[in-house]
Amino acid sequence: MSSELLHSPLFALPLSCGAFWFGVLLYRRTGTVLLHPIITASLLVFAALYSLDIPYRDYQDASGLLYVLLGPAVVALAVPLKQNLTVIRRAGWPLLVTIAIGALLAPAVAVGIALLLGMGKSVLLALSGKSITTPIALALAEKIHATLSLTAAIVVLTGVFGALAGPPLVRRLGIRDERILGVVLGINAHAVGTARALEISALCGACAALAMGLCGALSALLLPLIIAP
């Protein structure tokens, strides 16, 4: 296979779609969250890029169409939000205040821990966008001069870990309210958590979509002001 083809959309797009398709099949067959399609697809794409010595930047450039579609995919999450708007309205201001505080605390705690561990500036910048969905995180990463590949990896890992650990942790705390679970997943695991929330219920998914959207909006407004490039 020629080097030019390996670094082109003709290879990157089928690789991404094929890996995700296989991940969906495996997830439906096994039913375990440990084999969520995003985990399986990410590992397959990583293995392919590593074995074929393809830099992430080249893969990202060749996957431009998928990045363009990320935006409309996130906007489509407004559908479950609209369907459950009446229920969400009853929570009102307490829900919005909770989301706003969570949106500030999620990256602040991660950056604070990284500072205590002596992490470098590149890691701190990448961690600042860990709890927002990929399209916004990558756009912000460019604006604050964070490393794109590191930011993307942290965002995906945060989403996967949050989607896996969030529901059992919330249940262990004795919380059964699906609105709370949705907010937790939306704040801490962005789009991956929202996808997991939609599997639980439409109401849980709607709260996760609301939390994810507000987190992204607050981060887009505040991060460039807080972090001077």
Side-chain angles (χ1 to χ4, degrees):
M1 193 177 294
S2 71
S3 175
E4 186 176 347
L5 178 61
L6 289 175
H7 295 75
S8 73
L10 291 177
F11 177 77
L13 294 178
L15 172 65
S16 301
C17 294
F20 189 75
W21 173 74
F22 178 77
V24 171
L25 287 182
L26 192 63
Y27 181 60
R28 288 177 177 172
R29 179 70 62 90
T30 61
T32 172
V33 293
L34 292 174
L35 293 176
H36 192 280
I38 291 181
I39 299 175
T40 307
S42 298
L43 291 175
L44 289 174
V45 170
F46 169 77
L49 298 182
Y50 182 78
S51 59
L52 295 172
D53 195 25
I54 301 174
Y56 172 75
R57 186 75 201 196
D58 292 355
Y59 168 74
Q60 183 190 19
D61 292 341
S63 304
L65 178 61
L66 295 180
Y67 282 89
V68 170
L69 293 175
L70 275 176
V74 173
V75 174
L77 292 174
V79 175
L81 184 60
K82 172 67 171 61
Q83 292 172 338
N84 293 275
L85 192 57
T86 304
V87 179
I88 293 174
R89 271 180 176 166
R90 291 175 191 157
W93 283 107
L95 180 63
L96 293 177
V97 171
T98 301
I99 293 173
I101 294 174
L104 295 175
L105 284 181
V109 170
V111 171
I113 293 174
L115 272 173
L116 291 175
L117 295 175
M119 296 293 177
K121 183 179 178 181
S122 60
V123 175
L124 297 178
L125 288 175
L127 278 173
S128 66
K130 77 171 194 64
S131 294
I132 50 182
T133 189
T134 307
I136 301 175
L138 292 179
L140 279 175
E142 287 185 342
K143 200 161 189 174
I144 63 177
H145 301 293
T147 307
L148 290 181
S149 57
L150 183 58
T151 300
I154 288 176
V155 169
V156 171
L157 286 175
T158 300
V160 169
F161 182 77
L164 291 177
L169 180 60
V170 170
R171 281 196 294 270
R172 188 171 286 272
L173 293 172
I175 299 172
R176 297 291 183 268
D177 192 326
E178 291 184 347
R179 294 173 300 177
I180 297 176
L181 176 57
V183 169
V184 169
L185 287 172
I187 289 176
N188 293 287
H190 46 82
V192 184
T194 302
R196 178 76 183 101
L198 284 168
E199 293 176 351
I200 296 170
S201 74
L203 176 59
C204 188
C207 291
L210 177 63
M212 181 189 70
L214 289 178
C215 277
L218 282 174
S219 300
L221 288 172
L222 297 179
L223 267 183
L225 300 176
I226 297 173
I227 302 174

